[in-house]
Amino acid sequence: MQEVANDVINQLGVPPLSREQNQAYTVQLDLFEGPLDLLIHLIRQQEIDIYDISLAQITDQYLGYLEMMKDLSIEVAGDFLVMATTLIHIKSQMLLPAEPDSEIGQEIEEFRQELVKQLLEHEKFKQAAQMLYERETVELSVWPRGDNEFEEEEKELISATVFDLVTAFHQMVENYKEKIVLEIEGEVVTVQEKMEEIRRLLSLQGALLFSFFFERGLSRLHLVVTFIALLELTKLHEIKLVQKDLFEDIQIQSCLKMN
Amino acid sequence: MSENELTNPILAMLFVATDPVTLAELQEVYPETPREELRGIVDRATAYFNSLQMAVEIRQIGGGYRMSTRPEYHEDIRTYLQTKPSAKLSLAALETLAVIAYKQPVTIPEIMEIRGVNSGSTIRTLLEKRLIETRGRRKVVGRPIMYGTTKNFEIHFGLNNLSELPTLEELEEVLSPAVD
Amino acid sequence: MSENELTNPILAMLFVATDPVTLAELQEVYPETPREELRGIVDRATAYFNSLQMAVEIRQIGGGYRMSTRPEYHEDIRTYLQTKPSAKLSLAALETLAVIAYKQPVTIPEIMEIRGVNSGSTIRTLLEKRLIETRGRRKVVGRPIMYGTTKNFEIHFGLNNLSELPTLEELEEVLSPAVD
């Protein structure tokens, strides 16, 4: 697979992912996804074995780099600052006069080893990302068959995942919140007024859908009043409510002769 | 094969294309090659391909060339296409299902309030697909039926139980507008 | 050709299918044929088809068989379809995906620890592209959601299954010796 990938990549002229191409004097912040990337870059630049890194030295370089970004008015992401704080803390501990094998000394060595471990682990995943990049390059140059001749006319269908479900709900909740905002300045309505409104609408249209009253973002008060008004009109035999099938929308029909 | 260096790329185009590929279209891809030469290449590629007597053949149709399966395999293909589970939901069904999943047990008027539209027919679809079920009646005026999700819903969405459903708060950072 | 009477219909199905065709699907079409025999037929059909060195080849991908064009024709096909090269994943997305692929099921805090940066918005991108999916919750404080890769991940990266991914140790050997 590796050779195939390389072949295709060469053939396609795709530059390999590399963050080592920058010159020492150019600063490309987006080259470093995070503090671990920057640390690895600094270690590579020094050509030191990752196992032999000196915390004091790497801290100075790291802070120097952040300083340079600041001078260039480049905003430094929070993740970089968290690492900076940690490094400064460790370095300040190292500056304290302490006996050679004190607890602090041990703590610092543990931190150093932990950092080396984290950097090595991080590097592996960078390489895994590179491998995925190469595979993706190959796959993006390959076409499966397009829509086939038997395709059913099922437009707009999606095969849903949990993510779709949450996203759909999130979207509706957002819309709903907006709707509620519009209702805050609602005026008082009476059942009588609602009955009049329904009579007027029915005289214009003959029939109404129940959902009509719910689609307009009316307040809960409006909906309750509407509901009572509908019941009242039913009792007066002015309207009848018809549901053609279970779950179908309810139709409000006028019982009065149209003139 | 490849008597001509264009033969294979052209066959690849016929494979990918959803409509018949015309000579004019091929001419656009290969502006250097004279039209008649191009015609010769496609015709010979077609003849060669069809001589292999494979499951697929190239036919001239609608002023172009099209790869399609031979009619004798249509029945098997139809059976195959029917095996594909129709696990697909319309957007309306997905929305209704989302409200039911997060607000269950919930009634149709309540779903309507959140969705802003009538959800009757999608409720039916979801019941048919056994993604939701009835859960008794709400003790309010009209005693509307309440709905909730089924075991099948959990299986469909790969959940062990409902508590695995991400909460809105949790996905807030994931769902907030992408920064990069 | 047709050493077996099922060879051509199966090749026709592979031609028609837009997704990889699995043995389980073929089994549904041909319930009478033993699974292993079916596997033999598909494998031989694949070998025969690929031996013709045509514009299209059959590959095992995402747990099934799929016909697709050979990579060397991508430029001509792109010209014909008038498409630009598809957007590739960002470096951040690839890195996050690599962590998920190798450590799955994995939570956002765990991904953050390895990457050293917040990965919320790339998670969203990967979910939208259906390269990852939720996988229940980790039974630790806060019960964070776990993520894993999807079938679509395998297809996107040309894998038949996850075990085809090189191990992290292998990657170290292949890619790291003395960086230029």
Side-chain angles (χ1 to χ4, degrees), chain A residues 68-89:
Chain A
M68 183 162 65
M69 292 189 205
K70 224 173 89 188
D71 290 345
L72 294 166
S73 308
I74 295 167
E75 204 185 321
V76 177
D79 298 314
F80 285 91
L81 299 178
V82 172
M83 176 61 82
T85 314
T86 312
L87 288 172
I88 291 168
H89 172 73

PDB file of all heavy atoms in Angstrom, chain A residues 68-89:
ATOM      1  N   MET A  68       8.175  35.970  20.279  1.00  0.00           N
ATOM      2  CA  MET A  68       8.307  36.397  18.882  1.00  0.00           C
ATOM      3  C   MET A  68       6.925  36.553  18.235  1.00  0.00           C
ATOM      4  O   MET A  68       6.664  37.504  17.515  1.00  0.00           O
ATOM      5  CB  MET A  68       9.142  35.366  18.129  1.00  0.00           C
ATOM      6  CG  MET A  68       9.423  35.711  16.693  1.00  0.00           C
ATOM      7  SD  MET A  68      10.812  34.757  16.048  1.00  0.00           S
ATOM      8  CE  MET A  68      10.193  33.095  16.090  1.00  0.00           C
ATOM      9  N   MET A  69       6.047  35.595  18.535  1.00  0.00           N
ATOM     10  CA  MET A  69       4.685  35.686  17.987  1.00  0.00           C
ATOM     11  C   MET A  69       4.014  36.951  18.484  1.00  0.00           C
ATOM     12  O   MET A  69       3.312  37.633  17.742  1.00  0.00           O
ATOM     13  CB  MET A  69       3.855  34.481  18.419  1.00  0.00           C
ATOM     14  CG  MET A  69       4.291  33.175  17.809  1.00  0.00           C
ATOM     15  SD  MET A  69       3.046  31.923  18.214  1.00  0.00           S
ATOM     16  CE  MET A  69       4.004  30.438  18.123  1.00  0.00           C
ATOM     17  N   LYS A  70       4.223  37.250  19.774  1.00  0.00           N
ATOM     18  CA  LYS A  70       3.609  38.424  20.363  1.00  0.00           C
ATOM     19  C   LYS A  70       4.115  39.693  19.667  1.00  0.00           C
ATOM     20  O   LYS A  70       3.344  40.587  19.317  1.00  0.00           O
ATOM     21  CB  LYS A  70       3.911  38.483  21.866  1.00  0.00           C
ATOM     22  CG  LYS A  70       2.692  38.856  22.696  1.00  0.00           C
ATOM     23  CD  LYS A  70       2.979  38.750  24.181  1.00  0.00           C
ATOM     24  CE  LYS A  70       3.527  40.063  24.746  1.00  0.00           C
ATOM     25  NZ  LYS A  70       3.981  39.938  26.147  1.00  0.00           N
ATOM     26  N   ASP A  71       5.438  39.723  19.434  1.00  0.00           N
ATOM     27  CA  ASP A  71       6.032  40.871  18.751  1.00  0.00           C
ATOM     28  C   ASP A  71       5.423  41.064  17.369  1.00  0.00           C
ATOM     29  O   ASP A  71       5.300  42.178  16.874  1.00  0.00           O
ATOM     30  CB  ASP A  71       7.556  40.680  18.609  1.00  0.00           C
ATOM     31  CG  ASP A  71       8.247  40.793  19.959  1.00  0.00           C
ATOM     32  OD1 ASP A  71       7.595  41.287  20.913  1.00  0.00           O
ATOM     33  OD2 ASP A  71       9.421  40.373  20.068  1.00  0.00           O
ATOM     34  N   LEU A  72       5.084  39.942  16.757  1.00  0.00           N
ATOM     35  CA  LEU A  72       4.513  40.021  15.409  1.00  0.00           C
ATOM     36  C   LEU A  72       2.996  40.179  15.456  1.00  0.00           C
ATOM     37  O   LEU A  72       2.311  40.037  14.462  1.00  0.00           O
ATOM     38  CB  LEU A  72       4.868  38.760  14.628  1.00  0.00           C
ATOM     39  CG  LEU A  72       6.370  38.601  14.330  1.00  0.00           C
ATOM     40  CD1 LEU A  72       6.661  37.175  13.874  1.00  0.00           C
ATOM     41  CD2 LEU A  72       6.823  39.597  13.277  1.00  0.00           C
ATOM     42  N   SER A  73       2.506  40.451  16.656  1.00  0.00           N
ATOM     43  CA  SER A  73       1.061  40.617  16.869  1.00  0.00           C
ATOM     44  C   SER A  73       0.248  39.408  16.398  1.00  0.00           C
ATOM     45  O   SER A  73      -0.847  39.538  15.873  1.00  0.00           O
ATOM     46  CB  SER A  73       0.533  41.868  16.158  1.00  0.00           C
ATOM     47  OG  SER A  73       1.296  42.977  16.495  1.00  0.00           O
ATOM     48  N   ILE A  74       0.822  38.249  16.572  1.00  0.00           N
ATOM     49  CA  ILE A  74       0.082  37.038  16.229  1.00  0.00           C
ATOM     50  C   ILE A  74      -0.574  36.533  17.504  1.00  0.00           C
ATOM     51  O   ILE A  74       0.086  36.394  18.534  1.00  0.00           O
ATOM     52  CB  ILE A  74       1.023  35.959  15.662  1.00  0.00           C
ATOM     53  CG1 ILE A  74       1.603  36.426  14.339  1.00  0.00           C
ATOM     54  CG2 ILE A  74       0.290  34.639  15.486  1.00  0.00           C
ATOM     55  CD1 ILE A  74       2.750  35.592  13.854  1.00  0.00           C
ATOM     56  N   GLU A  75      -1.853  36.304  17.410  1.00  0.00           N
ATOM     57  CA  GLU A  75      -2.561  35.859  18.598  1.00  0.00           C
ATOM     58  C   GLU A  75      -2.141  34.430  18.942  1.00  0.00           C
ATOM     59  O   GLU A  75      -2.057  33.569  18.069  1.00  0.00           O
ATOM     60  CB  GLU A  75      -4.068  35.907  18.359  1.00  0.00           C
ATOM     61  CG  GLU A  75      -4.839  36.024  19.643  1.00  0.00           C
ATOM     62  CD  GLU A  75      -6.325  35.944  19.410  1.00  0.00           C
ATOM     63  OE1 GLU A  75      -6.789  36.523  18.402  1.00  0.00           O
ATOM     64  OE2 GLU A  75      -7.001  35.304  20.217  1.00  0.00           O
ATOM     65  N   VAL A  76      -1.848  34.218  20.198  1.00  0.00           N
ATOM     66  CA  VAL A  76      -1.402  32.901  20.631  1.00  0.00           C
ATOM     67  C   VAL A  76      -2.567  32.166  21.278  1.00  0.00           C
ATOM     68  O   VAL A  76      -3.213  32.680  22.187  1.00  0.00           O
ATOM     69  CB  VAL A  76      -0.229  33.028  21.619  1.00  0.00           C
ATOM     70  CG1 VAL A  76       0.187  31.658  22.125  1.00  0.00           C
ATOM     71  CG2 VAL A  76       0.942  33.734  20.956  1.00  0.00           C
ATOM     72  N   ALA A  77      -2.838  30.969  20.776  1.00  0.00           N
ATOM     73  CA  ALA A  77      -3.979  30.208  21.269  1.00  0.00           C
ATOM     74  C   ALA A  77      -3.763  29.776  22.711  1.00  0.00           C
ATOM     75  O   ALA A  77      -2.634  29.626  23.174  1.00  0.00           O
ATOM     76  CB  ALA A  77      -4.200  28.989  20.381  1.00  0.00           C
ATOM     77  N   GLY A  78      -4.886  29.582  23.407  1.00  0.00           N
ATOM     78  CA  GLY A  78      -4.852  29.231  24.821  1.00  0.00           C
ATOM     79  C   GLY A  78      -4.017  27.999  25.121  1.00  0.00           C
ATOM     80  O   GLY A  78      -3.298  27.955  26.119  1.00  0.00           O
ATOM     81  N   ASP A  79      -4.104  27.008  24.230  1.00  0.00           N
ATOM     82  CA  ASP A  79      -3.363  25.763  24.463  1.00  0.00           C
ATOM     83  C   ASP A  79      -1.866  26.018  24.595  1.00  0.00           C
ATOM     84  O   ASP A  79      -1.178  25.376  25.375  1.00  0.00           O
ATOM     85  CB  ASP A  79      -3.615  24.784  23.313  1.00  0.00           C
ATOM     86  CG  ASP A  79      -5.082  24.401  23.213  1.00  0.00           C
ATOM     87  OD1 ASP A  79      -5.675  24.103  24.264  1.00  0.00           O
ATOM     88  OD2 ASP A  79      -5.621  24.411  22.094  1.00  0.00           O
ATOM     89  N   PHE A  80      -1.352  26.988  23.810  1.00  0.00           N
ATOM     90  CA  PHE A  80       0.077  27.303  23.867  1.00  0.00           C
ATOM     91  C   PHE A  80       0.427  27.923  25.223  1.00  0.00           C
ATOM     92  O   PHE A  80       1.480  27.674  25.779  1.00  0.00           O
ATOM     93  CB  PHE A  80       0.449  28.299  22.754  1.00  0.00           C
ATOM     94  CG  PHE A  80       0.510  27.674  21.384  1.00  0.00           C
ATOM     95  CD1 PHE A  80      -0.608  27.655  20.572  1.00  0.00           C
ATOM     96  CD2 PHE A  80       1.687  27.107  20.913  1.00  0.00           C
ATOM     97  CE1 PHE A  80      -0.568  27.078  19.316  1.00  0.00           C
ATOM     98  CE2 PHE A  80       1.742  26.538  19.655  1.00  0.00           C
ATOM     99  CZ  PHE A  80       0.610  26.519  18.852  1.00  0.00           C
ATOM    100  N   LEU A  81      -0.497  28.733  25.723  1.00  0.00           N
ATOM    101  CA  LEU A  81      -0.246  29.430  26.980  1.00  0.00           C
ATOM    102  C   LEU A  81      -0.278  28.476  28.162  1.00  0.00           C
ATOM    103  O   LEU A  81       0.491  28.621  29.112  1.00  0.00           O
ATOM    104  CB  LEU A  81      -1.271  30.560  27.157  1.00  0.00           C
ATOM    105  CG  LEU A  81      -1.227  31.619  26.052  1.00  0.00           C
ATOM    106  CD1 LEU A  81      -2.290  32.673  26.279  1.00  0.00           C
ATOM    107  CD2 LEU A  81       0.157  32.263  25.976  1.00  0.00           C
ATOM    108  N   VAL A  82      -1.179  27.478  28.104  1.00  0.00           N
ATOM    109  CA  VAL A  82      -1.255  26.501  29.184  1.00  0.00           C
ATOM    110  C   VAL A  82       0.090  25.784  29.309  1.00  0.00           C
ATOM    111  O   VAL A  82       0.644  25.646  30.401  1.00  0.00           O
ATOM    112  CB  VAL A  82      -2.390  25.482  28.928  1.00  0.00           C
ATOM    113  CG1 VAL A  82      -2.333  24.348  29.945  1.00  0.00           C
ATOM    114  CG2 VAL A  82      -3.745  26.173  28.990  1.00  0.00           C
ATOM    115  N   MET A  83       0.640  25.367  28.179  1.00  0.00           N
ATOM    116  CA  MET A  83       1.931  24.685  28.188  1.00  0.00           C
ATOM    117  C   MET A  83       3.013  25.630  28.704  1.00  0.00           C
ATOM    118  O   MET A  83       3.886  25.229  29.479  1.00  0.00           O
ATOM    119  CB  MET A  83       2.265  24.189  26.780  1.00  0.00           C
ATOM    120  CG  MET A  83       3.641  23.528  26.633  1.00  0.00           C
ATOM    121  SD  MET A  83       3.864  22.038  27.646  1.00  0.00           S
ATOM    122  CE  MET A  83       3.083  20.791  26.622  1.00  0.00           C
ATOM    123  N   ALA A  84       2.942  26.893  28.304  1.00  0.00           N
ATOM    124  CA  ALA A  84       3.928  27.876  28.751  1.00  0.00           C
ATOM    125  C   ALA A  84       3.909  27.988  30.276  1.00  0.00           C
ATOM    126  O   ALA A  84       4.955  27.963  30.931  1.00  0.00           O
ATOM    127  CB  ALA A  84       3.638  29.230  28.116  1.00  0.00           C
ATOM    128  N   THR A  85       2.693  28.054  30.837  1.00  0.00           N
ATOM    129  CA  THR A  85       2.554  28.161  32.284  1.00  0.00           C
ATOM    130  C   THR A  85       3.189  26.954  32.979  1.00  0.00           C
ATOM    131  O   THR A  85       3.927  27.089  33.947  1.00  0.00           O
ATOM    132  CB  THR A  85       1.055  28.245  32.667  1.00  0.00           C
ATOM    133  OG1 THR A  85       0.436  29.194  31.803  1.00  0.00           O
ATOM    134  CG2 THR A  85       0.874  28.660  34.091  1.00  0.00           C
ATOM    135  N   THR A  86       2.889  25.764  32.447  1.00  0.00           N
ATOM    136  CA  THR A  86       3.439  24.543  33.033  1.00  0.00           C
ATOM    137  C   THR A  86       4.965  24.574  32.992  1.00  0.00           C
ATOM    138  O   THR A  86       5.631  24.272  33.985  1.00  0.00           O
ATOM    139  CB  THR A  86       2.930  23.311  32.252  1.00  0.00           C
ATOM    140  OG1 THR A  86       1.519  23.437  32.089  1.00  0.00           O
ATOM    141  CG2 THR A  86       3.238  22.026  32.997  1.00  0.00           C
ATOM    142  N   LEU A  87       5.501  24.948  31.829  1.00  0.00           N
ATOM    143  CA  LEU A  87       6.959  24.968  31.678  1.00  0.00           C
ATOM    144  C   LEU A  87       7.601  25.984  32.629  1.00  0.00           C
ATOM    145  O   LEU A  87       8.623  25.700  33.253  1.00  0.00           O
ATOM    146  CB  LEU A  87       7.335  25.286  30.230  1.00  0.00           C
ATOM    147  CG  LEU A  87       7.085  24.160  29.205  1.00  0.00           C
ATOM    148  CD1 LEU A  87       7.317  24.654  27.794  1.00  0.00           C
ATOM    149  CD2 LEU A  87       7.948  22.938  29.495  1.00  0.00           C
ATOM    150  N   ILE A  88       6.967  27.145  32.753  1.00  0.00           N
ATOM    151  CA  ILE A  88       7.513  28.169  33.642  1.00  0.00           C
ATOM    152  C   ILE A  88       7.508  27.670  35.081  1.00  0.00           C
ATOM    153  O   ILE A  88       8.482  27.827  35.824  1.00  0.00           O
ATOM    154  CB  ILE A  88       6.700  29.492  33.530  1.00  0.00           C
ATOM    155  CG1 ILE A  88       6.953  30.122  32.170  1.00  0.00           C
ATOM    156  CG2 ILE A  88       7.079  30.455  34.644  1.00  0.00           C
ATOM    157  CD1 ILE A  88       5.993  31.254  31.824  1.00  0.00           C
ATOM    158  N   HIS A  89       6.410  27.019  35.427  1.00  0.00           N
ATOM    159  CA  HIS A  89       6.304  26.487  36.789  1.00  0.00           C
ATOM    160  C   HIS A  89       7.440  25.497  37.075  1.00  0.00           C
ATOM    161  O   HIS A  89       8.127  25.592  38.088  1.00  0.00           O
ATOM    162  CB  HIS A  89       4.944  25.807  36.977  1.00  0.00           C
ATOM    163  CG  HIS A  89       4.821  25.063  38.260  1.00  0.00           C
ATOM    164  ND1 HIS A  89       4.693  25.691  39.474  1.00  0.00           N
ATOM    165  CD2 HIS A  89       4.846  23.731  38.527  1.00  0.00           C
ATOM    166  CE1 HIS A  89       4.628  24.787  40.427  1.00  0.00           C
ATOM    167  NE2 HIS A  89       4.719  23.580  39.889  1.00  0.00           N
TER     168      HIS A  89
END
